[in-house]
Amino acid sequence: MAFPWGDNRRFYSYTSYIRKTFGGRVQKLTIDAGFTCPNRDGRVGLGGCTFCNNESFNPSYCKPNKPISQQLAEGIEFHETRYRRAEKYIAYFQAYSNTYASLSELKEIYAQALAFPNVVGIIVGTRPDCVDAEKLDFFAHLAKSRYVSIEYGVETCNNQTLSRVNRGHTFEQSVWAIRESAQRGIGVGAHFIIGLPRETISDIDVMVQQLNILPINTVKFHQLQIIRNTLMEAEYQLYPEAFKFYSIDEYLQLLMGIVERLRPNLIIERLTSEAPPPSLVAPQWGKLRTDQLLIRFERLMTENDTWQGKKFKL
């Protein structure tokens, strides 16, 4: 059975999208360009997001003291050793807020990445309060000739939760940034965390509704993970009753209910998160890797004869 996105997978996968867009395999190379965040340096707050420890997911080659070209070269070597060889690459600026600098600095940083051989584009992870019209005009100019996507950390549509986790911005700011980016022809990604403290199924329903309404191209879902040496770890020790952790089966069932309500043209880039075991406090799901969880999820959708968009309604 072929689905609207052109293959027999039961959701519109990022892998399918990339292969359709570029005609083959493209490898993302993570870059740490040494940015920080406005809720770390005092502009809107201190301490950063309560759940955040960037060191828990940065690859070993990814260090801000290395030039961008060196990180890209080492990233290619890293992936060629462990995975299949790719002929094209996307530079993924992931750590912290990668538009939190002057426009002149941003131009220099992204020019270095785009000048590297076989780099076909950039993905820029950032916060919605770290872009403005001038910066978005710059990315729109780049997007006329290269692949450009801005990945916004939305996390939740609930402003009370955003305040509790010390994000320092509102959901309304996310809506503004998403719409302004899309209007300029820039690809838009959004990141959401499922299971943030004190959130309910109603919050998930609102998230699904907004994903169907807003001009978002790609979405990442992550289950809440409490990482060592974060403010959230301290909160968890003091107020464990505020946290609801899903078992693997519960989470996959919840995901299935989300995905079958999403519009069919929304590209799903990620469904689960994976932290190094020594860094993870909770939930403990054993040693299952992201790819293993994905296999279980796709099997669940097949067993229930459902797919992305089956229950989609505006």
Side-chain angles (χ1 to χ4, degrees), residues 156-210:
T156 176
C157 304
N158 186 320
N159 282 333
Q160 288 184 323
T161 303
L162 289 169
S163 178
R164 280 197 298 265
V165 300
N166 197 38
R167 281 296 289 179
H169 66 76
T170 64
F171 176 63
E172 288 73 22
Q173 287 173 287
S174 292
V175 171
W176 179 88
I178 289 165
R179 288 178 172 162
E180 289 293 316
S181 301
Q183 286 173 7
R184 289 168 167 81
I186 303 166
V188 178
H191 179 281
F192 285 89
I193 299 174
I194 297 174
L196 285 166
R198 296 183 173 87
E199 291 216 328
T200 67
I201 295 298
S202 294
D203 292 297
I204 292 173
D205 292 340
V206 172
M207 176 192 71
V208 171
Q209 181 186 41
Q210 292 299 321

Side-chain angles (χ1 to χ4, degrees), residues 292-307:
Q292 295 171 304
L293 292 170
L294 179 57
I295 290 169
R296 288 180 61 162
F297 176 70
E298 295 199 71
R299 185 185 303 131
L300 181 66
M301 293 195 78
T302 300
E303 289 169 352
N304 286 270
D305 191 27
T306 193
W307 56 86

Side-chain angles (χ1 to χ4, degrees), residues 213-249:
I213 292 171
L214 291 170
I216 295 168
N217 304 104
T218 65
V219 63
K220 286 182 177 178
F221 298 116
H222 286 191
Q223 80 276 22
L224 176 66
Q225 292 184 302
I226 296 182
I227 306 301
R228 297 194 190 282
N229 302 317
T230 61
L231 294 171
M232 189 170 282
E233 180 190 13
E235 181 186 357
Y236 175 56
Q237 301 300 334
L238 289 173
Y239 308 107
E241 70 280 0
F243 293 80
K244 158 67 176 172
F245 295 112
Y246 298 101
S247 69
I248 294 173
D249 289 339

Side-chain angles (χ1 to χ4, degrees), residues 25-297:
R25 177 177 169 80
V26 178
Q27 180 65 56
K28 278 198 291 188
L29 303 173
T30 303
I31 302 297
D32 186 340
F35 289 96
T36 184
C37 297
N39 64 342
R40 286 179 173 271
D41 67 6
R43 197 189 87 181
V44 300
L46 293 169
C49 303
T50 63
F51 53 78
C52 182
N53 180 349
N54 270 269
E55 292 303 314
S56 68
F57 58 76
N58 261 0
S60 58
Y61 65 83
C62 197
K63 301 294 182 185
N65 61 335
K66 296 179 182 179
I68 288 172
S69 59
Q70 182 181 348
Q71 291 186 53
L72 289 168
E74 292 182 7
I76 290 171
E77 182 181 5
F78 175 88
H79 287 285
E80 286 181 350
T81 301
R82 291 159 177 79
Y83 309 105
R84 290 183 299 160
R85 183 184 181 91
E87 295 183 356
K88 298 176 182 177
Y89 302 95
I90 294 174
Y92 178 28
F93 291 82
Q94 181 181 25
Y96 301 107
S97 300
N98 292 273
T99 58
Y100 190 40
S102 68
L103 181 56
S104 60
E105 291 175 275
L106 296 183
K107 287 180 176 179
E108 180 181 346
I109 287 168
Y110 295 118
Q112 292 178 51
L114 290 169
F116 197 85
N118 299 323
V119 168
V120 295
I122 55 174
I123 299 173
V124 178
T126 194
R127 296 160 50 98
D129 59 345
C130 290
V131 296
D132 54 33
E134 189 177 25
K135 289 176 182 177
L136 292 177
D137 287 343
F138 161 65
F139 286 113
H141 174 73
L142 289 181
K144 291 178 180 178
S145 59
R146 309 298 285 271
Y147 178 84
V148 176
S149 178
I150 301 180
E151 184 180 289
Y152 290 109
V154 180
E155 315 309 357
T156 176
C157 304
N158 186 320
N159 282 333
Q160 288 184 323
T161 303
L162 289 169
S163 178
R164 280 197 298 265
V165 300
N166 197 38
R167 281 296 289 179
H169 66 76
T170 64
F171 176 63
E172 288 73 22
Q173 287 173 287
S174 292
V175 171
W176 179 88
I178 289 165
R179 288 178 172 162
E180 289 293 316
S181 301
Q183 286 173 7
R184 289 168 167 81
I186 303 166
V188 178
H191 179 281
F192 285 89
I193 299 174
I194 297 174
L196 285 166
R198 296 183 173 87
E199 291 216 328
T200 67
I201 295 298
S202 294
D203 292 297
I204 292 173
D205 292 340
V206 172
M207 176 192 71
V208 171
Q209 181 186 41
Q210 292 299 321
L211 281 168
N212 286 333
I213 292 171
L214 291 170
I216 295 168
N217 304 104
T218 65
V219 63
K220 286 182 177 178
F221 298 116
H222 286 191
Q223 80 276 22
L224 176 66
Q225 292 184 302
I226 296 182
I227 306 301
R228 297 194 190 282
N229 302 317
T230 61
L231 294 171
M232 189 170 282
E233 180 190 13
E235 181 186 357
Y236 175 56
Q237 301 300 334
L238 289 173
Y239 308 107
E241 70 280 0
F243 293 80
K244 158 67 176 172
F245 295 112
Y246 298 101
S247 69
I248 294 173
D249 289 339
E250 288 173 334
Y251 182 74
L252 295 181
Q253 285 280 348
L254 183 63
L255 269 182
M256 183 173 68
I258 291 170
V259 170
E260 63 187 1
R261 288 184 286 158
L262 292 178
R263 52 185 166 88
N265 64 344
L266 179 62
I267 301 150
I268 298 177
E269 187 167 356
R270 198 172 179 91
L271 291 162
T272 61
S273 177
E274 182 180 334
S279 301
L280 183 64
V281 176
Q284 293 292 339
W285 282 0
K287 296 183 179 180
L288 286 176
R289 303 294 303 269
T290 297
D291 55 345
Q292 295 171 304
L293 292 170
L294 179 57
I295 290 169
R296 288 180 61 162
F297 176 70

